[in-house]
Amino acid sequence: MIRTRIFGISLETRRARRLFVAGFWLAEAVMLAVLFQFPMPLEIAHGKLLPLVIVLAVASNLPLYLGGFSTGGAVKYYEGRRFQLKPETVARLSAKPKHARLVNRLLTEMRPVDEREAQLRDWAYHRAHRLLFWMLYPGAVVYLAVAAISLSLVARLGFVLLEFFLIASMSLPQSLLLWTLPEDEPQIGESL
Amino acid sequence: MISSTRLLGISFERRRTRRWAVALYWFWVLVFSGLFLRHQAREGLGSVDLMLLVFSVVNLSALLGGVRSGGPVKPFHGIHWAPLADDSDRLQSLFRGPRSLSIAGNMMAPEIDLDERDAALRDRIHFVAYTLCRWLALLLFGIYAALSIFNAGWLVRVSPLFFFLLALTLWSLPQSIILWNEPDVVEAEA
């Protein structure tokens, strides 16, 4: 269920995966801290809109590299693709050994999750659901308290909080999987 | 996954009843949100409004069960607290009558966990609910950004509601899906 390498970083050991997850969340924390510096509402940001859009785009696209709900990431795509390659197409593409490894990886990713992977996925989503609520609820309470006290901060805080929840909703289940799966977890690209 | 507990005297064993209850629940959330928005537009956000929102998230979603015992949906993590398990005499004197005893049954029961089927269903439903909440978060973020560009005045009015809706949806959507989809209890047992 886990990709072997991503951007040249090996994810074969659990330690490497945990460092990858920690690095991801550190990068997101930095993005969110930068986002908080932008003036709000955006109509007064004027010339700072382009840097804001760039930071937002990077922060929102980083979770894609964890995979899960997207292809090509560290965790196998949950749904699997709905189309199948013809055997002759597979044979033609796999003619060279180098291409054969790539094709095998592609086929594994295109295969819908099996029962075991589905159970793991559902377990991770259940845990992530509770974790997300217990992050969202205090965050919302803080936001509402700030909204009642200081209107100047509320727009910026709301923007950053919503972006944080969006990122968390995209990446928590995959983070949990990468953090907890054992080292002998079958990896994308291994022979079926 | 459906508990035999009655809520306000209503049994939730039939799917039709449950669907009405879920529809009513979400209709009430919409009405409450509209009333809150109207009140806030006129009088701003006060500490009482704040407390109302905060407590509503927990108490409204608790009506559906799942996150607590005693609701129509079985508690997601079972029951692991039986304060009167070893004191049946006190229990008998405190709770008299068949209805009270069934409520007290939870206090006497040893640890109750969901069976394998219920646990798998619970996890699968959380996958669906989480995916829907992700789309809701994206939608709300998009609206927030658009308001931030085009109408900052509305931003301050509407944004507390965003967090309320997001938290309430996150905490009650799994139970809603379970109540909506599970077959009649009699059918399931047959």
Side-chain angles (χ1 to χ4, degrees):
Chain A
M1 205 170 175
I2 306 293
R3 189 172 299 279
T4 319
R5 298 185 82 82
I6 188 159
F7 300 124
I9 305 168
S10 167
L11 296 180
E12 287 180 14
T13 62
R14 204 205 284 201
R15 188 164 176 267
R17 290 179 219 150
R18 286 182 172 182
L19 280 172
F20 183 71
V21 169
F24 165 80
W25 283 103
L26 189 64
E28 290 289 4
V30 167
M31 298 287 168
L32 289 172
V34 168
L35 270 179
F36 193 73
Q37 306 308 314
F38 284 96
M40 285 285 163
L42 292 175
E43 62 190 18
I44 65 169
H46 294 300
K48 295 184 184 174
L49 271 178
L50 182 60
L52 174 84
V53 166
I54 291 172
V55 173
L56 209 53
V58 172
S60 302
N61 281 294
L62 275 179
L64 298 178
Y65 297 109
L66 290 181
F69 69 97
S70 62
T71 56
V75 176
K76 183 182 179 307
Y77 181 49
Y78 295 134
E79 297 296 331
R81 291 195 184 274
R82 303 293 173 198
F83 63 88
Q84 299 292 328
L85 286 176
K86 291 179 189 171
E88 49 269 25
T89 312
V90 173
R92 188 166 44 85
L93 290 172
S94 313
K96 291 183 183 173
K98 188 178 165 188
H99 294 165
R101 279 198 300 275
L102 185 65
V103 168
N104 193 38
R105 209 161 32 223
L106 205 61
L107 285 174
T108 334
E109 186 123 40
M110 286 161 79
R111 173 180 58 82
V113 289
D114 59 30
E115 199 180 316
R116 187 193 69 90
E117 288 168 347
Q119 277 179 355
L120 278 173
R121 174 200 66 194
D122 293 347
W123 168 86
Y125 268 79
H126 175 221
R127 289 291 180 270
H129 195 276
R130 289 174 69 83
L131 203 57
L132 188 62
F133 177 78
W134 289 113
M135 288 195 293
L136 171 65
Y137 193 55
V141 170
V142 165
Y143 175 80
L144 292 173
V146 169
I149 297 165
S150 163
L151 287 176
S152 58
L153 261 185
V154 76
R156 266 197 288 177
L157 185 63
F159 191 76
V160 170
L161 272 178
L162 275 176
E163 172 66 4
F164 169 71
F165 297 135
L166 184 61
I167 290 164
S169 68
M170 289 196 286
S171 43
L172 264 179
Q174 290 77 262
S175 299
L176 281 172
L177 282 172
L178 286 168
W179 194 270
T180 56
L181 283 175
E183 292 199 0
D184 57 358
E185 171 66 22
Q187 297 181 350
I188 299 169
E190 284 188 0
S191 305
L192 293 173
Chain B
M1 198 74 203
I2 305 297
S3 164
S4 54
T5 307
R6 286 171 173 256
L7 187 66
L8 303 173
I10 304 167
S11 165
F12 287 86
E13 292 181 352
R14 288 187 64 203
R15 179 157 53 178
R16 192 159 174 259
T17 312
R18 280 183 255 131
R19 285 184 171 182
W20 273 109
V22 169
L24 200 65
Y25 174 86
W26 287 104
F27 178 72
W28 166 242
V29 168
L30 272 174
V31 166
F32 178 86
S33 304
L35 289 173
F36 178 81
L37 208 56
R38 192 161 157 253
H39 167 78
Q40 205 199 347
R42 288 182 180 179
E43 294 176 43
L45 186 70
S47 50
V48 174
D49 306 313
L50 209 103
M51 279 167 48
L52 188 65
L53 282 185
V54 166
F55 289 122
S56 291
V57 168
V58 174
N59 290 302
L60 271 180
S61 37
L63 283 175
L64 299 179
V67 293
R68 66 155 187 112
S69 61
V73 175
K74 287 182 188 171
F76 290 141
H77 294 91
I79 296 168
H80 299 286
W81 186 53
L84 298 175
D86 298 326
D87 199 347
S88 55
D89 291 336
R90 185 173 298 189
L91 197 67
Q92 296 272 345
S93 65
L94 281 174
F95 298 97
R96 297 194 190 100
R99 185 168 167 273
S100 298
L101 276 177
S102 70
I103 294 168
N106 282 347
M107 289 188 176
M108 287 187 70
E111 297 209 345
I112 296 175
D113 271 319
L114 297 179
D115 60 29
E116 207 178 304
R117 183 218 164 240
D118 285 346
L121 177 68
R122 172 200 66 195
D123 289 352
R124 174 81 181 131
I125 295 298
H126 276 83
F127 168 59
V128 172
Y130 193 97
T131 306
L132 290 172
C133 286
R134 185 172 68 226
W135 287 108
L136 177 64
L138 182 62
L139 175 70
L140 292 179
F141 180 75
I143 295 173
Y144 194 99
L147 281 176
S148 190
I149 294 172
F150 299 116
N151 196 336
W154 263 97
L155 186 71
V156 175
R157 273 183 231 157
V158 167
S159 50
L161 204 60
F162 283 5
F163 288 97
F164 167 72
L165 283 176
L166 204 49
L168 187 74
T169 305
L170 201 59
W171 211 225
S172 53
L173 193 56
Q175 298 88 296
S176 301
I177 297 172
I178 290 169
L179 288 170
W180 192 270
N181 287 322
E182 280 287 273
D184 290 355
V185 172
V186 173
E187 259 179 41
E189 285 170 1

